[in-house]
Amino acid sequence: MTNEKNDFKKKNLLLMKELCLSSMKSNYKETVEQAEKNDVSYEEFLFELLAHERSQRYNRRIQRYLKESKLPLEKTLDNYDLKRIPHSARQKTKAILTGDFLDKNENILVFGNPGSGKTHLLCGIAHELILNNKRVLFSTCSQLVQQLLISKRELTLNKTLKKLSKFDVVIIDDIGYVQHNRTEMEVFFTFLADRYERGSIMLTSNLPFSKWEKIFKDPMVTTAAIDRLIHHSIIIELNVESYRLEQAKEK
């Protein structure tokens, strides 16, 4: 009987390896011992193995998503003071956290003065989205523009756009903070147009739409860019004092 059990054990481990059930394989011996000790049913035994495999796969996937997101790890909602932002902004944040906006390919547009917490808020939301199995990419506007510009020069822009389309949401931080030339903004507009109604964008800006002509350098391109962004969007305004200034005053 012992030999027969050992044979089944070897066969089971081989099958788990073949089916790439690595967590189940590593937990198999311990689970068998606990099952024999506590006299659990076959269904309970199988459930324990499968639950462990699912849990470990989820953890590995979340770590992979976090790494590829390039999010600042310290900017989470756990250390963000939601009470300091307007009530309407808090209500919209709660709605956004459900992730429903991703199913509608809606954009999240956050405006406010420097230091008002725009970046931290979006990063905190993004961390929660990742925990719900969503793929996120964080980039400053300047970094994204340079990436797109290099791709255009190397004739790989379509490949880059396709790669970016794999993300459920792309966060673009600080639009308008750094001035770009017309060529750079044209390639950025190409990204916005490609993403339109196909994937969500979350962005922050210190400049209201009325001043975006400074960004895109051309009235028609400015209008077209704004039109695509606001067509399906949730707009959050953080008209609060700089968090850094508040801390300085306290000190």
Side-chain angles (χ1 to χ4, degrees):
M1 188 68 178
T2 302
N3 289 335
E4 187 178 350
K5 284 177 63 177
N6 287 334
D7 287 342
F8 271 114
K9 179 181 178 181
K10 291 178 181 178
K11 290 177 181 178
N12 287 339
L13 291 172
L14 285 172
L15 279 173
M16 291 173 193
K17 182 178 180 180
E18 183 180 335
L19 295 171
C20 300
L21 300 171
S22 57
S23 297
M24 186 182 288
K25 181 174 177 289
S26 63
N27 198 50
Y28 179 73
K29 181 180 178 182
E30 182 182 347
T31 306
V32 168
E33 290 174 353
Q34 288 295 320
E36 291 176 342
K37 181 180 178 181
N38 299 319
D39 194 29
V40 303
S41 66
Y42 296 121
E43 289 82 1
E44 290 175 291
F45 167 69
L46 181 59
F47 175 79
E48 288 297 325
L49 279 176
L50 292 172
H52 183 76
E53 177 70 30
R54 180 184 62 181
S55 175
Q56 292 302 306
R57 287 192 178 196
Y58 170 80
N59 291 336
R60 290 195 297 270
R61 183 168 59 253
I62 297 307
Q63 289 303 312
R64 187 171 69 252
Y65 284 1
L66 275 173
K67 184 177 180 180
E68 73 174 3
S69 73
K70 300 180 182 178
L71 281 167
L73 297 180
E74 73 281 0
K75 293 186 184 297
T76 67
L77 288 184
D78 289 337
N79 53 25
Y80 186 85
D81 186 7
L82 285 169
K83 294 179 181 178
R84 69 182 298 273
I85 66 176
H87 177 73
S88 61
R90 290 200 300 273
Q91 294 300 106
K92 289 178 180 179
T93 298
K94 291 177 182 177
I96 291 168
L97 287 172
T98 64
D100 291 344
F101 76 98
L102 295 173
D103 299 326
K104 305 171 188 175
N105 294 322
E106 291 180 329
N107 301 317
I108 310 299
L109 316 176
V110 182
F111 298 89
N113 298 322
S116 56
K118 304 183 297 297
T119 302
H120 194 152
L121 178 61
L122 286 192
C123 287
I125 292 171
H127 277 285
E128 297 302 314
L129 293 176
I130 287 175
L131 292 177
N132 285 305
N133 292 303
K134 302 301 182 182
R135 293 184 67 189
V136 174
L137 178 66
F138 174 87
S139 175
T140 64
C141 184
S142 294
Q143 289 171 337
L144 180 61
V145 166
Q146 291 308 310
Q147 180 187 357
L148 295 170
L149 197 58
I150 291 170
S151 296
K152 183 179 180 180
R153 289 171 181 165
E154 296 178 350
L155 304 179
T156 59
L157 183 57
N158 286 338
K159 183 178 180 181
T160 298
L161 292 174
K162 186 176 181 180
K163 182 178 179 181
L164 291 170
S165 72
K166 302 297 182 183
F167 292 95
D168 295 292
V169 61
V170 176
I171 301 176
I172 309 169
D173 194 32
D174 286 333
I175 287 185
Y177 187 78
V178 177
Q179 292 297 306
H180 297 279
N181 60 42
R182 187 184 294 266
T183 302
E184 290 171 331
M185 285 298 95
E186 284 176 356
V187 78
F188 180 63
F189 176 78
T190 300
F191 163 74
L192 296 181
D194 181 78
R195 190 94 183 158
Y196 176 59
E197 293 190 325
R198 297 172 59 191
S200 295
I201 289 173
M202 298 167 72
L203 65 81
T204 70
S205 181
N206 300 331
L207 298 177
F209 285 134
S210 59
K211 296 183 179 180
W212 272 34
E213 194 170 321
K214 294 180 181 179
I215 300 175
F216 288 96
K217 316 298 181 185
D218 181 277
M220 290 187 65
V221 176
T222 302
T223 301
I226 294 173
D227 184 62
R228 282 163 173 76
L229 284 170
I230 67 173
H231 185 204
H232 308 289
S233 68
I234 299 171
I235 298 176
I236 298 177
E237 295 185 20
L238 299 184
N239 297 316
V240 295
E241 190 177 46
S242 167
Y243 178 72
R244 293 183 286 273
L245 184 58
E246 283 183 4
Q247 285 190 321
K249 287 180 177 179
E250 290 176 3
K251 290 180 180 179

